[in-house]
Amino acid sequence: MSLIESGLFKPQLLIDGIWSAAADGSVFAVENPATGEVIARVADATPADAGRAIMAATRAQIAWAETSVLERSRLLRKWFDLVMLNQDALAKILTIEQGKPLAEARSEIAYGASYIEWFAEEARRIYGDVIAPPENSTRILVIKQPVGVVATITPWNFPNAMLARKLAPALAAGCAVVAKPAAETPLSALALGQLALDAGIPAGLINILPSTHAKEIGEAFTSNEQVRKISFTGSTAVGKQLITQCAPDVKRVSLELGGNAPFVVFDDADLDAAVEGAIASKFRNAGQTCVCANRFYIQQSIYDTFCEKLISAMKGFSIGNGLDNGITIGPLISNRAQQKVQALLDDAISRGAKIACQAMQDDSWQAGHFFPPTLLVNVPTDARLTCEEIFGPVAPMIPFETEAQVVQFANASEYGLAAYLFTRDAKRIKRLSDQLQTGMLGINTGLISNAMAPFGGIKQSGWGREGSRYGLDDYVNVKYLCESFS
Ligand code: NAP
């Protein structure tokens, strides 16, 4: 079945349950990063469209907040079922606009859907509280109410999952959403919108505004009084701008921002497990995840052995168009991304780092934005790639001697999203769990994301948590009722 026949290829705006063109009729091209081919011309939302979407969401939210949690739960569950039923078509859309291999795209669809399933269940568990009052003639009750209209802005690296993990808790809590997906990858978001309509989720609750006018759409969201919350996933720089824009209205803000994950391997670790964790954490999505291992700290006595094992595992990569069989590493998202990763690599080499392994360039890469997986040794601690997000398949190896030294290295970052620790020493696990300054820590594993766990960072990696029972907190207001019986 072709994508058109699947009914999920929707290159338009979704406003109030209706697919429409942009107010000024403009469109923009979306390209396949593996081939450079234009795969769609998508309606390019303007601030006027954002205004229309916010009005629709405001109307829809009032009615939605009145529905029972059971009804919300059932509709979310139906949406989850439809997403999983259409996993293959959604994965294909994801691969052609984002570049990740089809197998990874299928995993992302299941991962995104797991948040819809989880919040379909959590919708039934929006508990309040009864609190002991200061005197017996009063009763203190706490109820949770939906925040209202939520605006979401999401990036291109997980165009399905990053949006699903905002839409699902928002709807479960009784909110409506206006969503701006990344301009590079709008089609996955729009397909999710179609399936929400098919599931019977009422018109106006999910509005989707693909646009190349990110700044203007962001301002249309933050300056509109009807929007009571912004939920953003993306770079720390844009997150900071949005905080400033939300200040005048004191809008609530949730932020999932950049990371700089340290990956620490001690000499008592299971090295094969550490290599497996390194492959998953560093090279998934061609190194373009916010929780990617960004800096490898390897204890001196096992440094050479670990590097050799990792190089041997990297030789098994198959790099190319994600639609082709057996491909394990796809392209980067854009030419700009390629240039940034190359600049970080050049900087490290100019400071003394050496390339110990780099995949051979292939002619079939010419039209796309491929970057060869690379392992760097002798990386000095002042190289730019130890403090900036690489967002590409480059693994810098840095030796360390002592636990105290590596804790200092790991914490020397303004980011605090994820860290990874490989050791068999239980007491060391306890000490580093306390000392490492991140929101998430993978202990003897390189894979940490799932819908049941609270995903999020500290320091400049963000505010709030997505997934888990904490994931609803960002979409509800706590109201305290004081009843007097005197
Ligand atoms: P980005 O430039 O911040 O873009 C993210 C989103 O913000 C896109 O939809 C983008 O639209 C939009 N945007 C850009 N400028 C804006 C502005 N002035 N006002 C409002 N919206 C604006 O980030 P990116 O480079 O695409 O994405 C990668 C970043 O996301 C990395 O730093 C990564 O670590 C982070 N990330 C974090 C998490 C997490 O959970 N912590 C998860 C995934 C990614 P356009 O695409 O149209 O420019």
Side-chain angles (χ1 to χ4, degrees), residues 80-265:
F80 162 77
D81 289 338
L82 285 182
V83 171
M84 289 311 292
L85 205 64
N86 289 278
Q87 186 180 14
D88 287 339
L90 291 169
K92 196 166 171 198
I93 291 172
L94 180 41
T95 292
I96 60 172
E97 70 174 352
Q98 201 276 340
K100 67 183 61 176
L102 209 45
E104 270 191 45
R106 292 185 91 253
S107 299
E108 179 180 339
I109 302 304
Y111 173 61
S114 72
Y115 284 89
I116 302 177
E117 183 184 40
W118 173 260
F119 285 107
E121 293 159 2
E122 285 299 284
R124 301 159 181 252
R125 289 187 276 274
I126 303 177
Y127 298 139
D129 234 330
V130 183
I131 297 177
E135 62 281 314
N136 287 340
S137 58
T138 51
R139 186 161 59 184
I140 296 175
L141 302 177
V142 175
I143 59 170
K144 305 266 179 74
Q145 295 184 302
V147 164
V149 174
V150 175
T152 68
I153 302 177
T154 44
W156 48 263
N157 61 345
F158 288 88
N160 173 293
M162 294 302 99
L163 181 59
R165 102 183 170 181
K166 297 185 191 303
L167 291 175
L171 262 57
C175 299
V177 178
V178 289
K180 194 209 85 66
E184 293 89 342
T185 57
L187 298 167
S188 294
L190 295 163
L192 261 185
Q194 177 61 50
L195 290 172
L197 293 178
D198 294 346
I201 290 176
L205 283 184
I206 297 178
N207 304 276
I208 305 180
L209 303 160
S211 179
T212 56
H213 313 292
K215 188 167 181 296
E216 293 74 12
I217 298 290
E219 284 166 354
F221 288 166
T222 54
S223 64
N224 191 310
E225 279 189 1
Q226 299 301 331
V227 174
R228 291 314 313 152
K229 178 191 170 71
I230 301 285
S231 180
F232 172 73
T233 297
S235 62
T236 297
V238 172
K240 287 179 185 177
Q241 279 177 37
L242 291 171
I243 296 172
T244 309
Q245 287 172 222
C246 286
D249 269 3
V250 195
K251 270 193 213 326
R252 289 181 64 171
V253 186
S254 295
L255 302 166
E256 295 284 353
L257 306 177
N260 180 7
F263 189 104
V264 180
V265 187

Side-chain angles (χ1 to χ4, degrees), residues 28-46:
F28 64 98
V30 176
E31 288 180 9
N32 181 337
T35 62
E37 273 173 284
V38 172
I39 53 170
R41 295 194 192 277
V42 178
D44 196 354
T46 65

